mmCIF file of all heavy atoms in Angstrom:
data_model
loop_
_atom_site.group_PDB
_atom_site.id
_atom_site.type_symbol
_atom_site.label_atom_id
_atom_site.label_comp_id
_atom_site.label_asym_id
_atom_site.label_seq_id
_atom_site.Cartn_x
_atom_site.Cartn_y
_atom_site.Cartn_z
ATOM 1 N N ASP A 128 77.645 147.108 177.102
ATOM 2 C CA ASP A 128 77.250 148.509 177.144
ATOM 3 C C ASP A 128 75.725 148.559 177.012
ATOM 4 O O ASP A 128 75.131 147.663 176.435
ATOM 5 C CB ASP A 128 77.910 149.220 175.947
ATOM 6 C CG ASP A 128 77.777 150.725 176.032
ATOM 7 O OD1 ASP A 128 76.638 151.216 175.905
ATOM 8 O OD2 ASP A 128 78.810 151.383 176.213
ATOM 9 N N ASN A 129 75.125 149.640 177.482
ATOM 10 C CA ASN A 129 73.672 149.663 177.373
ATOM 11 C C ASN A 129 73.173 149.847 175.943
ATOM 12 O O ASN A 129 72.024 149.592 175.639
ATOM 13 C CB ASN A 129 73.032 150.674 178.343
ATOM 14 C CG ASN A 129 73.249 152.105 177.912
ATOM 15 O OD1 ASN A 129 73.906 152.378 176.914
ATOM 16 N ND2 ASN A 129 72.696 153.025 178.680
ATOM 17 N N VAL A 130 74.046 150.250 175.006
ATOM 18 C CA VAL A 130 73.598 150.306 173.619
ATOM 19 C C VAL A 130 73.645 148.940 172.928
ATOM 20 O O VAL A 130 73.195 148.794 171.821
ATOM 21 C CB VAL A 130 74.346 151.341 172.762
ATOM 22 C CG1 VAL A 130 74.044 152.740 173.258
ATOM 23 C CG2 VAL A 130 75.828 151.079 172.725
ATOM 24 N N SER A 131 74.221 147.941 173.577
ATOM 25 C CA SER A 131 74.067 146.585 173.048
ATOM 26 C C SER A 131 73.345 145.745 174.093
ATOM 27 O O SER A 131 73.697 144.626 174.370
ATOM 28 C CB SER A 131 75.418 145.960 172.720
ATOM 29 O OG SER A 131 76.214 145.904 173.886
ATOM 30 N N SER A 132 72.351 146.312 174.678
ATOM 31 C CA SER A 132 71.802 145.745 175.899
ATOM 32 C C SER A 132 70.475 145.025 175.689
ATOM 33 O O SER A 132 69.996 144.830 174.575
ATOM 34 C CB SER A 132 71.645 146.844 176.942
ATOM 35 O OG SER A 132 71.565 146.260 178.217
ATOM 36 N N ILE A 133 69.894 144.661 176.801
ATOM 37 C CA ILE A 133 68.748 143.773 176.831
ATOM 38 C C ILE A 133 67.993 144.050 178.120
ATOM 39 O O ILE A 133 68.586 144.366 179.137
ATOM 40 C CB ILE A 133 69.263 142.320 176.741
ATOM 41 C CG1 ILE A 133 68.139 141.329 176.547
ATOM 42 C CG2 ILE A 133 70.114 141.940 177.931
ATOM 43 C CD1 ILE A 133 68.658 139.976 176.096
ATOM 44 N N ASN A 134 66.692 143.953 178.050
ATOM 45 C CA ASN A 134 65.865 144.160 179.232
ATOM 46 C C ASN A 134 64.832 143.061 179.312
ATOM 47 O O ASN A 134 64.175 142.758 178.320
ATOM 48 C CB ASN A 134 65.146 145.512 179.156
ATOM 49 C CG ASN A 134 66.053 146.662 179.499
ATOM 50 O OD1 ASN A 134 66.232 146.983 180.650
ATOM 51 N ND2 ASN A 134 66.648 147.262 178.478
ATOM 52 N N PHE A 135 64.635 142.509 180.510
ATOM 53 C CA PHE A 135 63.807 141.325 180.702
ATOM 54 C C PHE A 135 62.423 141.670 181.263
ATOM 55 O O PHE A 135 62.303 142.475 182.184
ATOM 56 C CB PHE A 135 64.502 140.370 181.673
ATOM 57 C CG PHE A 135 65.854 139.892 181.206
ATOM 58 C CD1 PHE A 135 66.990 140.676 181.387
ATOM 59 C CD2 PHE A 135 65.999 138.663 180.602
ATOM 60 C CE1 PHE A 135 68.237 140.236 180.973
ATOM 61 C CE2 PHE A 135 67.245 138.213 180.177
ATOM 62 C CZ PHE A 135 68.362 138.996 180.362
ATOM 63 N N THR A 136 61.431 140.984 180.747
ATOM 64 C CA THR A 136 60.052 141.157 181.225
ATOM 65 C C THR A 136 59.899 140.620 182.650
ATOM 66 O O THR A 136 60.333 139.505 182.931
ATOM 67 C CB THR A 136 59.083 140.389 180.306
ATOM 68 O OG1 THR A 136 59.189 140.907 178.981
ATOM 69 C CG2 THR A 136 57.644 140.512 180.784
ATOM 70 N N PRO A 137 59.264 141.372 183.546
ATOM 71 C CA PRO A 137 59.043 140.892 184.922
ATOM 72 C C PRO A 137 57.883 139.903 184.989
ATOM 73 O O PRO A 137 56.799 140.205 185.519
ATOM 74 C CB PRO A 137 58.739 142.183 185.695
ATOM 75 C CG PRO A 137 58.092 143.071 184.673
ATOM 76 C CD PRO A 137 58.767 142.747 183.359
ATOM 77 N N LEU A 138 58.115 138.697 184.465
ATOM 78 C CA LEU A 138 57.036 137.708 184.356
ATOM 79 C C LEU A 138 56.381 137.407 185.704
ATOM 80 O O LEU A 138 55.181 137.116 185.757
ATOM 81 C CB LEU A 138 57.593 136.400 183.783
ATOM 82 C CG LEU A 138 58.054 136.427 182.323
ATOM 83 C CD1 LEU A 138 58.729 135.105 181.971
ATOM 84 C CD2 LEU A 138 56.876 136.680 181.393
ATOM 85 N N HIS A 139 57.148 137.466 186.778
ATOM 86 C CA HIS A 139 56.632 137.107 188.108
ATOM 87 C C HIS A 139 55.668 138.152 188.653
ATOM 88 O O HIS A 139 55.022 137.919 189.673
ATOM 89 C CB HIS A 139 57.803 136.931 189.074
ATOM 90 C CG HIS A 139 58.611 138.179 189.231
ATOM 91 N ND1 HIS A 139 59.343 138.724 188.192
ATOM 92 C CD2 HIS A 139 58.794 139.008 190.285
ATOM 93 C CE1 HIS A 139 59.947 139.819 188.611
ATOM 94 N NE2 HIS A 139 59.632 140.017 189.867
ATOM 95 N N GLU A 140 55.590 139.312 188.003
ATOM 96 C CA GLU A 140 54.685 140.367 188.471
ATOM 97 C C GLU A 140 53.439 140.460 187.605
ATOM 98 O O GLU A 140 52.550 141.268 187.892
ATOM 99 C CB GLU A 140 55.397 141.728 188.438
ATOM 100 C CG GLU A 140 56.572 141.849 189.382
ATOM 101 C CD GLU A 140 56.151 142.046 190.835
ATOM 102 O OE1 GLU A 140 54.935 142.102 191.103
ATOM 103 O OE2 GLU A 140 57.049 142.121 191.688
ATOM 104 N N LEU A 141 53.358 139.683 186.555
ATOM 105 C CA LEU A 141 52.259 139.808 185.589
ATOM 106 C C LEU A 141 51.269 138.655 185.743
ATOM 107 O O LEU A 141 51.553 137.652 186.389
ATOM 108 C CB LEU A 141 52.821 139.843 184.172
ATOM 109 C CG LEU A 141 53.891 140.918 183.898
ATOM 110 C CD1 LEU A 141 54.358 140.850 182.453
ATOM 111 C CD2 LEU A 141 53.364 142.311 184.229
ATOM 112 N N ASP A 142 50.113 138.829 185.125
ATOM 113 C CA ASP A 142 49.124 137.749 185.100
ATOM 114 C C ASP A 142 48.397 137.845 183.761
ATOM 115 O O ASP A 142 48.653 138.760 182.970
ATOM 116 C CB ASP A 142 48.171 137.859 186.300
ATOM 117 C CG ASP A 142 47.662 136.499 186.767
ATOM 118 O OD1 ASP A 142 47.404 135.621 185.921
ATOM 119 O OD2 ASP A 142 47.525 136.321 187.984
ATOM 120 N N GLY A 143 47.490 136.913 183.488
ATOM 121 C CA GLY A 143 46.837 136.905 182.182
ATOM 122 C C GLY A 143 47.855 136.582 181.107
ATOM 123 O O GLY A 143 48.899 135.967 181.379
ATOM 124 N N ILE A 144 47.585 137.010 179.877
ATOM 125 C CA ILE A 144 48.505 136.684 178.784
ATOM 126 C C ILE A 144 49.085 137.906 178.079
ATOM 127 O O ILE A 144 50.006 137.778 177.291
ATOM 128 C CB ILE A 144 47.848 135.767 177.727
ATOM 129 C CG1 ILE A 144 46.719 136.482 176.969
ATOM 130 C CG2 ILE A 144 47.338 134.485 178.364
ATOM 131 C CD1 ILE A 144 46.281 135.749 175.705
#
Side-chain angles (χ1 to χ4, degrees):
Chain A
D128 190 292
N129 73 358
V130 294
S131 60
S132 200
I133 189 165
N134 282 276
F135 300 82
T136 300
L138 292 173
H139 61 294
E140 295 284 359
L141 305 180
D142 211 322
I144 67 166

